[in-house]
Amino acid sequence: EVQLVQSGAGVKKPGESLRISCKASGYTFTGYWIGWVRQMPGKGLEWMGIIFPRDSDTRYSPSFQGQVTISADKSITTAYLQWSSLKASDTAMYYCVRLETAAFPRLIVPFDYWGQGTLVTVSS
Amino acid sequence: DIQLTQSPSFLSASAGDRVTITCRASQGISNYLAWYRQQPGKAPKLLIYAASTLLSGVPSRFSGSGSGTDFTLTISSLQPEDFATYYCQQLNSSPYTFGQGTTLEIK
């Protein structure tokens, strides 16, 4: 059974750093892209970026390029989303997603599995 | 970026009703479109990709159609678990944008 299990909720202050994680199991981690989707409070979904764990090829939405870092550790089948300096506007739920099939620039079968979400709250 | 506009933004219906949600793209995307359902407090779930292909395990009351710029999601007979928010997503080019969502409420 495919599972994406995310790290727990966190409260941080503006300017602090943070890394949240997504532990994947039940499939070949190095064979699929894995990525992140943001959902701000009461708002819609925003695709942030994806990484291919086999070679760490990473693709970002222009809106998030330079704002976050996506990485993966294939030895422990875990993906990460990292901020070096949080802002209040980073307050959101973040979902880890698996990309089933892609033929770039197009996605064929998109995000078929989702993590449970990690709520990040940034407040002074 | 490709913009997706869903209509309506809110919809009231009763269990057993047939409903249709529309998603319009700002430029042609062939059939590179997906639909998701997000129940309150839960992660979204993929329903349909390639505009009309149901993901394995998705009930047949869901159907999708369209190509180019205009797409629809139809639920033939609403079940209690279908009262949720629905999002379309274009898969044609990065960034892979979502529509603003359509919230389906119980009448």
Side-chain angles (χ1 to χ4, degrees), chain A residues 46-93:
Chain A
E46 300 171 271
W47 172 70
M48 302 177 72
I50 46 176
I51 186 168
F52 194 59
R54 182 179 301 166
D55 59 9
S56 294
D57 185 6
T58 309
R59 304 180 186 213
Y60 292 94
S61 165
S63 296
F64 294 93
Q65 179 86 48
Q67 307 304 307
V68 297
T69 301
I70 294 172
S71 61
D73 185 338
K74 55 190 177 185
S75 69
I76 54 171
T77 67
T78 299
Y80 301 98
L81 179 64
Q82 184 173 337
W83 295 260
S84 59
S85 181
L86 285 160
K87 305 186 263 298
S89 57
D90 293 318
T91 295
M93 181 73 81

Side-chain angles (χ1 to χ4, degrees), chain A residues 11-20 82-86:
Chain A
V11 180
K12 290 289 200 178
K13 290 183 167 49
E16 292 186 332
S17 63
L18 176 67
R19 187 177 75 168
I20 63 175
Q82 184 173 337
W83 295 260
S84 59
S85 181
L86 285 160

Side-chain angles (χ1 to χ4, degrees), chain B residues 42-57:
Chain B
K42 293 190 174 182
K45 176 182 174 178
L46 177 64
L47 301 173
I48 287 170
Y49 61 94
S52 61
T53 302
L54 257 62
L55 192 70
S56 176

